[in-house]
Amino acid sequence: MNAEGVVHLWKVPVPVPPPAVRAPGAPAPAPPRPSREPSATASAVLLVTGFVLLSLNTRVAFGQLGPLAPVAGLGTGVVTLLGLLPPLCMGAFAPFVPLVRRRLGEERGLFAASVLLLAGAVVRMLGMPGLLVGTALVGVATAVVNVLIPVFVRSRFAPRRVGVMMGVHALSMGAGSALVAALMVPVWRAGGHAWEPAIGVAVIPAALAALGIAPQLRYGRRAVEPERARARMRVREGDRGLARSLIAFFGLQTLLFYTTLAWLPAILVASGVAEGAAGTMQSLFIVGVAVGGFLTPVLAAARTDQRPHLLAVLLVCASGYAGLLVAPAAAPALWSFVLGAGLGGGQAVAGVLYVKRGRDHDHVAALSTAAQTGGYLLAAAGPVAAAALHTATGGWTVPLLVLAGVLLPSAAASMRAGHDRPARD
């Protein structure tokens, strides 16, 4: 493929200098020096590589505690608080991401978020106070990434690549988180049964993410947009019904995801699965998140009506919860993978909904901000509610029944967000 084809495929901006103007009678200019600008192919490779490395790191920190909690003696209160912090911080900070975008642009905003992710990963190794503070920092940085990624994909990749790239984003998130989750117990053992070295594993993908996205700084913009541009980035009155649907669907799916991520190992251990095996099941759950997160956006983006895909995702989730309720110890690997595939698909397809329902880049940013602000704040209640139900009932049956029941309002909420036909909001 030639350079022009690569640029068209990936929408990589290649700077072109203006032609020189020579005055009459002036000597001929010296032969031009070889350009130091990367070729279109190199720019595309750097773009995709940075995108993948950033995506690999985005969920790493949130998948570490599940495998560690049963073996490292982390109490219920600590696990509950660490499960609450990420969605709470992401929901609280998401409304400020449009300001970050106006000031820095998508590229510089994502780079700043990657640096903050790295700082948070380092701070998390500094004892229990550092774990809490660092997790909050990671949550704030992830809020920036979550809001800007759909806008970045729409602006930097060709339209027919939107579904694939959102799928790559989800697949990379799941793969990075699964790999690090699988390392938690072995590193904990190798580190003398201390959880700090295991938590420190997250520094490696965080550093790679910052290095990977850094080449995109040359394409970023720094100008503050005028007031009329700011107005375009708010959800309009006629879009309120769509925004409510996106908030409800994304919020309920995220509630299920973070609650299951926090408590799945504990659920399996309570059903008779060995502690080490429960950590492995957590990794399988995250592998399922990666698989479902890749396939669902790719399939959903190819159509204008995503409602069948949304309902299919919810049915897969229902199958996973049913398995955990009926026979958790009989096939824990199967239930973990199936549940991960369903919840991963539900998380990843939301990015496609923002891009498909958005009229332009500003509208995509507005929908993404609204959905993630309300959605993450709603999701923050999940780990706490599950812990309270477990304490009150002495088991995991009632919490699992409640989680399965959340799929019904999630299905109802998805109907407006899943198609283009105007609705009476």
Side-chain angles (χ1 to χ4, degrees):
M1 181 181 292
N2 58 24
E4 182 180 357
V6 173
V7 174
H8 176 72
L9 181 65
W10 298 108
K11 291 177 67 176
V12 178
V14 178
V16 178
V21 178
R22 183 161 60 96
R33 296 181 179 180
S35 174
R36 295 187 179 181
E37 296 291 349
S39 67
T41 302
S43 296
V45 170
L46 287 172
L47 172 62
V48 175
T49 301
F51 180 78
V52 169
L53 288 174
L54 179 62
S55 301
L56 281 169
N57 179 58
T58 303
R59 292 290 187 274
V60 161
F62 305 148
Q64 290 183 292
L65 270 297
L68 275 179
V71 298
L74 299 177
T76 299
V78 172
V79 175
T80 301
L81 181 56
L82 291 170
L84 169 68
L85 273 176
L88 189 63
C89 291
M90 286 186 276
F93 195 78
F96 300 98
V97 179
L99 176 61
V100 173
R101 178 174 176 250
R102 288 196 301 270
R103 294 281 183 178
L104 303 178
E106 290 88 35
E107 289 81 1
R108 287 190 173 93
L110 290 174
F111 177 73
S114 69
V115 172
L116 187 58
L117 280 167
L118 176 57
V122 172
V123 171
R124 293 176 88 230
M125 295 188 294
L126 306 179
M128 188 56 64
L131 182 60
L132 296 172
V133 173
T135 299
L137 292 176
V138 170
V140 170
T142 305
V144 178
V145 176
N146 287 341
V147 173
L148 292 186
I149 279 291
V151 189
F152 182 77
V153 168
R154 176 157 174 162
S155 64
R156 294 297 300 276
F157 295 95
R160 68 181 182 277
R161 296 289 174 182
V162 166
V164 173
M165 296 317 297
M166 292 305 301
V168 167
H169 176 60
L171 177 64
S172 301
M173 282 196 300
S177 187
L179 176 61
V180 172
L183 292 173
M184 288 300 95
V185 175
V187 174
W188 170 77
R189 288 173 179 156
H193 293 187
W195 57 262
E196 289 87 351
I199 288 293
V201 171
V203 172
I204 298 172
L208 292 175
L211 291 173
I213 204 67
Q216 302 310 311
L217 291 173
R218 62 196 298 269
Y219 300 116
R221 63 182 186 276
R222 200 177 175 84
V224 178
E225 298 184 5
E227 281 296 329
R228 60 184 180 182
R230 299 183 190 185
R232 289 200 305 268
M233 294 172 66
R234 302 188 186 103
V235 176
R236 300 177 184 176
E237 187 66 33
D239 295 328
R240 295 296 172 85
L242 172 61
R244 286 193 294 267
S245 179
L246 286 168
I247 291 169
F249 174 75
F250 178 75
L252 293 173
Q253 282 295 294
T254 306
L255 181 149
L256 294 174
F257 177 79
Y258 279 99
T259 304
T260 306
L261 186 68
W263 293 113
L264 179 61
I267 293 170
L268 294 174
V269 168
S271 70
V273 177
E275 292 178 346
T280 303
M281 297 307 105
Q282 177 87 337
S283 297
L284 281 175
F285 168 78
I286 299 173
V287 169
V289 170
V291 173
F294 175 73
L295 292 177
T296 307
V298 171
L299 297 174
R303 298 183 56 175
T304 57
D305 189 345
Q306 286 78 43
R307 288 174 294 182
H309 303 87
L310 302 181
L311 293 177
V313 159
L314 297 175
L315 287 174
V316 174
C317 292
S319 301
Y321 283 123
L324 288 179
L325 280 164
V326 176
L334 177 61
W335 310 137
S336 299
F337 180 84
V338 169
L339 189 53
L343 293 175
Q347 284 278 289
V349 77
V352 173
L353 299 180
Y354 309 145
V355 175
K356 286 288 188 178
R357 305 289 92 84
R359 294 181 293 272
D360 51 38
H361 299 164
D362 293 331
H363 193 212
V364 172
L367 294 176
S368 180
T369 301
Q372 295 189 55
T373 299
Y376 277 119
L377 291 176
L378 174 63
V384 178
L389 286 172
H390 174 258
T391 300
T393 62
W396 288 105
T397 299
V398 172
L400 285 171
L401 285 171
V402 172
L403 293 176
V406 169
L407 295 171
L408 293 175
S410 182
S414 71
M415 292 299 98
R416 174 64 186 94
H419 68 119
D420 285 330
R421 188 174 69 248
R424 189 172 297 176
D425 293 335

